[in-house]
Amino acid sequence: MTIKTITLKTIILITTGQWGYAQVKMGNRPEIIHPRAVLHVESNTKGIMLPVVENHTELPHYNSALPDLYENSPEDNGLVFYNKEIRDVVKYDGYRWIAATEKSIKNYKNVSILGSNASDHTVANVLGITGRPTLVFNVLNDIDRNNVNNLGVTVNSNGEITIPADGFYRINPSVKTSSAGGLSVGNAATIVSLQALYVNAQGDGWQKIHENSFLLYGLLVTAGSSNSINSFSTIKFLHTGDQIRLRAGIQADTGLNVGTGVTFKMSDKDTFLYIEKLN
C-alpha cells in the first residue's frame, strides 16, 4: 500500500486552478460535498488526528512566569490541540488554554467579576470597637485575573456598585486577609457584610443583605498570622438602580481583644466580587 502526502494548498490548486474558492472533499463519496464546507472529511473507518502535545507546557504561548501560565494572543483565538496530560481536546480563547467543553469566562454574558486595585486596608479592634470601611472594587476588565464586566455594572469612587437590571442575583464576595498582630484573649473574627441601598426605599439607608464572620483562632499575643479568605454566597432579588457595597472589619468573638488587627488584601487575585444574574 502506498501512502501519498499532499498539502491542502496543492489539492485546492488542482481542484480549481485558483486559490481561495475551492471546496475539498476527503474520504467517502468524493462527488458529494456539503455546500457550505471548505473542507469536508467523510469516513466511517478513519478519523482526524489533531496536533498533539504531551502536557500543558508544550502548548503555544506557555509562560510559567504569568499568573495564568499563558501569554495573551487574541489573534490565535480558535487554535485546537489534543493534550495527552488531561486526555482532552483543548482550545485557545486568546488568553489561555481551556478544555473544549469549557466556556471561556468572556462568554458568560450574565456575570461580572470585579477585582480591586486599591491598597491593602488595615483595621484594628480596640476593646471590641472597630470601624467597618467599605471595600472598594473596580471594573478592571483584566482577563488574566478573570475580571470581566459582562453585566455592565457601574462602580462609583466610594465602591458602591449599581445594578443594571431587575432580577435575581447570586453575589459571592471573596476577601483575602491577614492578621495584623495585637493582644487577643479569646478569638477574634473578620466580618464581611454585604449591604444594599434600594432605589425604591422611602427614607431607608443601607440595609444588610448578608454577613459572614471568619474566626481567627489565635494565640494570646500574635504578631501576624497566615493568610485566610472570608467568602460566602447569597441570592437576592434586586431592582434596576439598586446599589450594593461590601463592608468589612474585625470584632471579638469571645474574650477581649486589645489592638488586634486585620489587613484586607485588596489587590490580591483571591479578593473579588462575583455577581451573576440568574434570570
Side-chain angles (χ1 to χ4, degrees), residues 145 173-176 229-230 265 267-272:
R145 290 178 55 179
S174 173
V175 182
K176 192 169 187 176
I229 296 176
N230 190 332
K265 306 179 79 63
S267 61
D268 193 277
K269 66 180 180 180
D270 288 323
T271 294
F272 59 85

Side-chain angles (χ1 to χ4, degrees), residues 11-12 30 56 83 98 118 145 167 185 187 198 224 229 241-242 265:
I11 292 174
I12 293 174
H56 67 282
N83 185 350
I98 57 179
R145 290 178 55 179
V185 182
N187 296 323
Y198 301 111
I229 296 176
D242 285 350
K265 306 179 79 63

Side-chain angles (χ1 to χ4, degrees), residues 207-252:
Q207 306 292 311
K208 181 171 66 177
I209 296 178
H210 188 87
E211 188 168 276
N212 193 63
S213 61
F214 185 93
L215 287 180
L216 301 172
Y217 301 96
L219 303 173
L220 291 180
V221 179
T222 174
S225 64
S226 60
N227 295 325
S228 59
I229 296 176
N230 190 332
S231 179
F232 64 86
S233 181
T234 188
I235 295 175
K236 179 71 175 178
F237 186 89
L238 297 169
H239 292 280
T240 304
D242 285 350
Q243 292 182 305
I244 59 173
R245 69 182 182 185
L246 201 64
R247 293 201 135 186
I250 185 172
Q251 70 180 29

Side-chain angles (χ1 to χ4, degrees), residues 7-271:
T7 66
L8 178 59
K9 182 176 180 180
T10 303
I11 292 174
I12 293 174
L13 289 172
I14 293 171
T15 304
T16 68
Q18 57 182 322
W19 174 256
Y21 296 93
Q23 289 181 286
V24 178
K25 177 69 178 287
M26 295 181 180
N28 301 338
R29 300 186 301 168
E31 72 283 358
I32 302 175
I33 186 167
H34 193 282
R36 297 192 62 82
V38 172
L39 173 63
H40 186 174
V41 180
E42 182 180 11
S43 175
N44 54 12
T45 59
K46 299 183 185 301
I48 297 174
M49 179 61 73
L50 293 174
V52 176
V53 296
E54 293 293 331
N55 57 63
H56 67 282
T57 67
E58 296 182 355
L59 289 166
H61 308 303
Y62 175 77
N63 187 338
S64 61
L66 297 178
D68 67 353
L69 300 181
Y70 299 102
E71 296 174 351
N72 297 342
S73 183
E75 64 273 13
D76 287 347
N77 187 348
L79 284 177
V80 177
F81 279 79
Y82 183 82
N83 185 350
K84 287 186 176 181
E85 181 181 29
I86 63 173
R87 298 182 180 181
D88 201 353
V89 175
V90 293
K91 59 187 179 182
Y92 186 68
D93 67 358
Y95 301 93
R96 59 176 62 84
W97 288 91
I98 57 179
T101 54
E102 183 181 352
K103 289 178 66 176
S104 170
I105 191 66
K106 292 175 70 65
N107 293 334
Y108 288 89
K109 301 303 182 183
N110 290 334
V111 170
S112 287
I113 305 175
L114 306 182
S116 178
N117 55 15
S119 301
D120 290 351
H121 202 119
T122 301
V123 296
N125 183 290
V126 181
L127 298 178
I129 301 172
T130 182
R132 291 194 182 183
T134 298
L135 302 182
V136 177
F137 292 87
N138 311 97
V139 178
L140 298 178
N141 288 319
D142 184 351
I143 196 67
D144 290 332
R145 290 178 55 179
N146 284 328
N147 293 151
V148 296
N149 188 24
N150 294 337
L151 281 173
V153 302
T154 58
V155 187
N156 65 23
S157 58
N158 296 321
E160 297 158 352
I161 301 152
T162 301
I163 299 300
D166 291 1
F168 282 96
Y169 288 83
R170 176 182 288 114
I171 305 171
N172 172 210
S174 173
V175 182
K176 192 169 187 176
T177 64
S178 61
S179 63
L183 173 63
S184 175
V185 182
N187 296 323
T190 61
I191 305 297
V192 173
S193 178
L194 179 65
Q195 301 177 342
L197 183 63
Y198 301 111
V199 69
N200 296 322
Q202 300 296 323
D204 294 330
W206 287 91
Q207 306 292 311
K208 181 171 66 177
I209 296 178
H210 188 87
E211 188 168 276
N212 193 63
S213 61
F214 185 93
L215 287 180
L216 301 172
Y217 301 96
L219 303 173
L220 291 180
V221 179
T222 174
S225 64
S226 60
N227 295 325
S228 59
I229 296 176
N230 190 332
S231 179
F232 64 86
S233 181
T234 188
I235 295 175
K236 179 71 175 178
F237 186 89
L238 297 169
H239 292 280
T240 304
D242 285 350
Q243 292 182 305
I244 59 173
R245 69 182 182 185
L246 201 64
R247 293 201 135 186
I250 185 172
Q251 70 180 29
D253 181 66
T254 60
L256 176 67
N257 290 267
V258 181
T260 304
V262 63
T263 296
F264 298 98
K265 306 179 79 63
M266 296 305 300
S267 61
D268 193 277
K269 66 180 180 180
D270 288 323
T271 294

